[in-house]
Amino acid sequence: TTLQTNATQMAPEARGSAVAIFASCLFLGTSAGVALGGLVIEAVGYAPLFLGCGAALLVLGRAFSVLLGRLR
């Protein structure tokens, strides 16, 4: 919801387009992630997929933390 609100605020003169593009990216990204996850599960199993996702979340969390610290 926060991301969608920000999408409408970035282009107030084109709110409909902003929301449509945001929703398209959200759903296409989700479906691509599920498809990729299915391929990874078939190739190496569940544990490597979950470990890889966990590691990626740690890296992304740390990166956002550092970037937000620079903004203050």
Side-chain angles (χ1 to χ4, degrees), residues 20-57:
I21 292 169
F22 171 80
S24 295
C25 290
L26 178 69
F27 293 125
L28 289 172
T30 300
S31 61
V34 169
L36 181 62
L39 293 173
V40 171
I41 289 170
E42 285 182 357
V44 294
Y46 287 93
L49 174 70
F50 289 130
L51 290 172
C53 289
L57 283 173

Side-chain angles (χ1 to χ4, degrees):
T1 304
T2 302
L3 294 175
Q4 191 172 9
T5 301
N6 286 334
T8 62
Q9 291 174 353
M10 286 187 283
E13 66 281 353
R15 286 182 201 267
S17 296
V19 172
I21 292 169
F22 171 80
S24 295
C25 290
L26 178 69
F27 293 125
L28 289 172
T30 300
S31 61
V34 169
L36 181 62
L39 293 173
V40 171
I41 289 170
E42 285 182 357
V44 294
Y46 287 93
L49 174 70
F50 289 130
L51 290 172
C53 289
L57 283 173
L58 285 172
V59 170
L60 283 172
R62 179 64 181 148
F64 281 125
S65 172
V66 169
L67 291 172
L68 285 173
R70 290 183 186 168
L71 293 175
R72 294 179 192 198

